[in-house]
Amino acid sequence: MVSAMESAEPFQDLLKHETRALYPQTFWSSVLFRRALDMHTKAFVFPKESDNSFVTLTAQLTKPLKAFTVCLHVYTDLTRDYSLFSYATRQQHNEILLFKGKTGVYSVSVGGADVFFKPPESSPAPMHFCVTWESTSGITELWVDGKPMVRRSMKRGYSLGTEASIVLGQEQDAFAGGFDKNQSLVGDIGDVNMWDYVLSPEEINTVYAGGTFSPNVLDWRALKYKTYGEVFVKRQLWP
């Protein structure tokens, strides 16, 4: 029987080859951690606008997703558009996307469809986000600093692909690439966790307060990642 890691290797090698072709100037200055690292109290820092600084994450996926929850912390003072979380497949570049528009509206994309949320405006400060979606109803939720926005619905009955390129710091307009510096993140991102089911409101509030529920897709306490360009790992600036 072929192990999950062995079966994933051809895809990871192909993704590595395509990223090298797209970004040769950053490939050799990248930092790869093949073993999972505990990133507790740490954050990825993107200190300046660019189209070649980003982080790729390795997910633990074996079957199409029928639901998910993604939670993360972000700290930025940007007033323009920027991407917070980008999950692309070859068939759909916006398989999962959390994106902030310059008008303060946040868009959540699943399978190329979009819904929009408008949280209250606030001064620049670390912010916590959780996005949930389920195929059975299409219900989509955005939680900001432990508070839920009004629910939306999209892509009922849809399944998310597993051979994914997951990127922090840039939006993917092509698989593993197509970056635009005007949509890049300038700031810090951390506590990135993902589950293959929808967390309950009580669980989301526990995550916001600093707890976890054994993330089974992306685990910040056991993270496999690779940095490209000017990205640094520093102590987080939020509690």
Side-chain angles (χ1 to χ4, degrees):
M1 180 179 292
V2 179
S3 70
M5 182 172 291
E6 288 172 337
S7 64
E9 285 180 355
F11 170 69
Q12 294 299 331
D13 290 343
L14 182 58
L15 179 58
K16 176 180 176 181
H17 174 76
E18 291 199 356
T19 307
R20 186 202 299 258
L22 285 164
Y23 295 99
Q25 70 274 28
T26 64
F27 187 83
W28 297 114
S29 61
S30 64
V31 178
L32 170 65
F33 290 96
R34 293 193 179 279
R35 62 184 179 86
L37 296 183
D38 185 351
M39 295 287 286
H40 181 56
T41 74
K42 297 181 175 63
F44 293 120
V45 181
F46 303 85
K48 65 182 182 181
E49 184 177 279
S50 79
D51 62 358
N52 58 13
S53 295
F54 58 101
V55 178
T56 60
L57 306 180
T58 301
Q60 305 170 51
L61 287 171
T62 58
K63 59 183 179 179
L65 289 174
K66 293 287 189 179
F68 70 82
T69 301
V70 174
C71 295
L72 51 86
H73 262 110
V74 174
Y75 187 21
T76 181
D77 58 2
L78 289 175
T79 56
R80 58 162 173 76
D81 301 352
Y82 60 90
S83 173
L84 289 88
F85 183 88
S86 177
Y87 176 119
T89 63
R90 296 184 184 283
Q91 292 73 33
Q92 179 51 251
H93 301 148
N94 291 339
E95 192 76 291
I96 303 173
L97 177 65
L98 177 58
F99 190 86
K100 184 180 183 293
K102 61 185 177 182
T103 60
V105 173
Y106 288 83
S107 64
V108 176
S109 304
V110 172
D114 309 302
V115 292
F116 301 92
F117 301 88
K118 184 70 165 65
E121 293 288 344
S122 61
S123 300
M127 298 179 70
H128 186 263
F129 297 89
C130 283
V131 178
T132 77
W133 171 84
E134 63 179 15
S135 177
T136 53
S137 65
I139 292 296
T140 308
E141 299 176 358
L142 177 66
W143 293 68
V144 181
D145 290 338
K147 298 179 176 62
M149 304 296 103
V150 176
R151 291 174 170 128
R152 303 285 191 259
S153 179
M154 62 176 165
K155 301 298 283 188
R156 183 178 180 184
Y158 187 72
S159 295
L160 294 157
T162 57
E163 289 193 348
S165 165
I166 304 176
V167 169
L168 303 178
Q170 304 282 348
E171 183 195 0
Q172 301 175 83
D173 285 330
F175 183 77
F179 303 150
D180 179 350
K181 69 178 183 179
N182 295 314
Q183 297 178 335
S184 65
L185 175 67
V186 179
D188 297 9
I189 189 166
D191 296 328
V192 182
N193 291 292
M194 184 174 179
W195 297 258
D196 63 1
Y197 60 92
V198 173
L199 294 186
S200 69
E202 294 78 16
E203 290 170 332
I204 287 176
N205 275 298
T206 298
V207 171
Y208 172 55
T212 58
F213 288 94
S214 300
N216 58 1
V217 179
L218 295 171
D219 186 349
W220 193 248
R221 300 294 298 264
L223 194 69
K224 291 184 178 181
Y225 69 88
K226 188 171 185 177
T227 64
Y228 294 82
E230 197 165 340
V231 182
F232 303 93
V233 175
K234 296 292 185 182
R235 188 171 180 84
Q236 68 188 34
L237 297 177
W238 48 86

